Amino acid sequence: NERYPCTAGTTTGTGITQQQHTWKQIRGASNSVTHMTSWSLVEAIETIDLVFIEFNVNDHFISDLPHKLEDKGPLGETKAYISLWYFEVILRRLLLLRKPDPLAIVTFNADYLGRTWAGQPWFDPEKARKTLFYYNQEPLKNWLSSMYEIPVFSASIWMLPLAGKRGSGMQSNRTANPYATANWHTDTCCHPRLEGHLILNLVLAYCMVEEEKIMLLRSGDGGDDADNNMVYEETDFTADDIPILRDPIYLSPEEEALYVIKDIPYAGVDFTQYNNDARGEQSFEKVIVANEGWMWYADNREKDKYGYIVNDITGGQHLAISLTGGKHGMVEVSYVVSYENFGTALAWFDNSNKNKQVKRCNKPVNSRKVGWKGSVVPLVAIWDELASVPKVELLKTKLGEGEERVLHFCLTPRSESIALGPENKFKLLGVRVY
């Protein structure tokens, strides 16, 4: 802390102030897919020095690859390939990000499946082999991190030998073995206890301090051979002013252009710009095919942040936009998330201008982590940070090239379970079609 001082503090109920570094967690994003679709929340953070990545456990539950732009064949249907595809998108985006300088990145591997390889009664050779390659994401993430020369910090590889020093029979004995697995872990999967988190912090801090010592190593005599005694550091081309990345392993050139470089033509509607035509109408008005209760205006003090806005605690207000599909069939929705007075909207495609989801639109969404229900996707505009920022959501439903369909939005009633503040607002910024 002397070299990297804590900059924030919180006071507990006992009156003790706990110092901590300033850190951010992307709320509502739990795996590489949801971090990819919530990437605007990462971009909204002004300063970033160090990033920890740990998707191993939650990436196990990824089931499909809707963002692919090419046929990946049978391999592309496997959980391993899908997880690595999304993980590579995240790695490449982070390596290009400047906040304001290049980021330091550590892959944090949190899998703990030690009992699978332990003695009786847990050991099952067939299950052990399958677990390693089908359920345990750590070997996959180790491989991809090494290809991008990103340090890997394991939460289990060094802990398990420590816990087993007195034999596998004592590995989980909390009474007789102070280093027992059960002292720092709750189960055979992936949940460290408080003690486990403290150990992880200490080991990571130790590794970082030792790394810094090596990087600052110099000869003590200041002689002619001083430069020869310095530790050689390989050039990191990703940190150059014009960063150079290795070729993608899992992304096609078009996927790289769309999801990483973001250099690909698109169409759609932009509600953030004031752009009257000769008749005094906004350019997007011709694609609005139904509107019940939504209004286009700027809601900030300076009157320059425009959007399509609805604010009603009863919900049910409906907006429909006619869209034509682009080359890749992708549809991206941009809206504001905020810490107070915002709610949840639903989005879906069909071929009618009418609202055929009235029943769902009149039912509150009572969880921030609610998933898709058929073709309807919830857009939860509530988060805990004291700021209002844009969020981009890539819809799973594809719109074929030249295909014309209607994209619907409706505001759901204010939820007593998740609402922050008395109002129930939603601000749509635009829709982009690739």
Side-chain angles (χ1 to χ4, degrees):
N1 281 335
E2 182 178 351
R3 185 163 181 82
Y4 304 103
C6 296
T7 57
T10 57
T11 303
T12 65
T14 59
I16 300 175
T17 299
Q18 296 178 335
Q19 296 293 323
Q20 57 184 257
H21 295 284
T22 301
W23 60 278
K24 300 284 185 181
Q25 180 179 357
I26 306 305
R27 301 289 182 179
S30 59
N31 55 31
S32 53
V33 180
T34 49
H35 274 82
M36 172 184 164
T37 57
S38 302
W39 193 251
S40 57
L41 303 184
V42 178
E43 294 178 319
I45 301 173
E46 293 184 1
T47 302
I48 304 175
D49 297 315
L50 175 63
V51 178
F52 295 103
I53 313 174
E54 192 277 292
F55 299 132
N56 300 336
V57 176
N58 288 347
D59 270 9
H60 168 64
F61 300 99
I62 297 175
S63 59
D64 56 4
L65 182 53
H67 298 97
K68 65 183 179 183
L69 301 181
E70 63 176 8
D71 183 7
K72 303 293 186 180
L75 188 62
E77 304 296 325
T78 64
K79 192 181 296 291
Y81 188 98
I82 295 169
S83 173
L84 288 168
W85 189 95
Y86 283 109
F87 188 50
E88 185 171 35
V89 172
I90 297 298
L91 290 184
R92 296 181 71 83
R93 286 182 176 184
L94 286 172
L95 289 169
L96 293 176
L97 204 58
R98 300 294 184 265
K99 288 293 183 175
D101 300 315
L103 316 182
I105 307 171
V106 173
T107 304
F108 185 83
N109 280 322
D111 287 329
Y112 165 52
L113 293 160
R115 289 192 181 183
T116 306
W117 300 92
Q120 297 296 340
W122 305 289
F123 183 65
D124 181 332
E126 183 177 357
K127 182 180 179 181
R129 289 191 295 271
K130 290 181 178 179
T131 298
L132 179 62
F133 294 106
Y134 290 113
Y135 296 99
N136 188 348
Q137 295 279 325
E138 188 162 348
L140 303 178
K141 299 307 193 304
N142 284 352
W143 136 256
L144 196 54
S145 296
S146 68
M147 295 303 293
Y148 282 92
E149 298 183 87
I150 292 174
V152 177
F153 176 69
S154 173
S156 60
I157 288 177
W158 58 273
M159 279 185 165
L160 291 174
L162 185 64
K165 287 178 75 70
R166 299 186 180 183
S168 60
M170 296 287 289
Q171 178 177 311
S172 300
N173 190 323
R174 299 183 68 180
T175 303
N177 183 3
Y179 303 108
T181 305
N183 279 329
W184 52 268
H185 239 280
T186 60
D187 53 26
T188 60
C189 172
C190 43
H191 304 111
R193 300 180 188 274
L194 172 62
E195 293 85 353
H197 282 95
L198 291 174
I199 294 173
L200 296 178
N201 277 297
L202 289 172
V203 172
L204 179 61
Y206 174 82
C207 292
M208 294 179 69
V209 170
E210 291 300 306
E211 177 80 6
E212 184 179 46
K213 288 179 181 178
I214 295 173
M215 292 174 65
L216 297 176
L217 184 64
R218 299 288 193 276
S219 65
D221 58 11
D224 294 336
D225 65 337
D227 288 341
N228 294 329
N229 291 324
M230 293 173 59
V231 174
Y232 172 74
E233 295 181 43
E234 185 179 353
T235 301
D236 183 0
F237 295 109
T238 67
D240 289 349
D241 292 338
I242 302 177
I244 301 174
L245 270 65
R246 60 154 294 128
D247 292 339
I249 303 172
Y250 298 96
L251 308 181
S252 70
E254 287 187 328
E255 290 166 347
E256 168 81 355
L258 175 57
Y259 297 119
V260 179
I261 308 300
K262 299 183 180 180
D263 180 22
I264 200 164
Y266 66 88
V269 289
D270 183 359
F271 299 133
T272 66
Q273 300 297 320
Y274 185 87
N275 185 23
N276 280 342
D277 61 16
R279 295 178 297 174
E281 296 179 348
Q282 291 299 313
S283 58
F284 54 74
E285 290 186 10
K286 58 185 177 182
V287 299
I288 304 295
V289 294
N291 185 359
E292 303 166 11
W294 294 64
M295 295 181 64
W296 181 79
Y297 63 96
D299 59 346
N300 63 321
R301 183 178 301 176
E302 293 78 14
K303 300 300 179 184
D304 59 354
K305 294 183 178 180
Y306 288 87
Y308 246 104
I309 301 172
V310 60
N311 191 352
D312 192 315
I313 61 173
T314 61
Q317 291 76 18
H318 172 239
L319 180 71
I321 305 170
S322 177
L323 296 175
T324 303
K327 177 181 178 181
H328 302 291
M330 312 306 293
V331 180
E332 179 184 271
V333 175
S334 177
Y335 57 99
V336 171
V337 296
S338 188
Y339 61 97
E340 188 176 33
N341 291 324
F342 275 65
T344 302
L346 302 180
W348 71 94
F349 276 105
D350 62 28
N351 296 316
S352 173
N353 295 347
K354 297 180 179 181
N355 181 3
K356 294 186 176 182
Q357 299 287 347
V358 174
K359 186 176 180 180
R360 287 187 179 179
C361 292
N362 289 315
K363 182 179 180 180
V365 174
N366 294 320
S367 172
R368 299 190 197 183
K369 296 184 178 181
V370 64
W372 283 62
K373 293 184 178 179
S375 61
V376 179
V377 57
L379 306 174
V380 181
I382 306 169
W383 76 329
D384 297 326
E385 298 290 338
L386 296 179
S388 298
V389 299
K391 179 179 179 179
V392 177
E393 188 86 27
L394 282 164
L395 302 183
K396 288 186 178 181
T397 302
K398 291 193 175 184
L399 190 62
E401 185 173 10
E403 180 184 8
E404 295 184 3
R405 298 192 76 188
V406 178
L407 177 60
H408 298 265
F409 298 92
C410 73
L411 180 69
T412 62
R414 181 180 179 275
S415 169
E416 293 291 341
S417 302
I418 64 173
L420 301 173
E423 299 181 30
N424 188 43
K425 182 177 180 181
F426 194 87
K427 183 175 182 179
L428 182 64
L429 301 178
V431 181
R432 297 207 295 181
V433 179
Y434 298 95

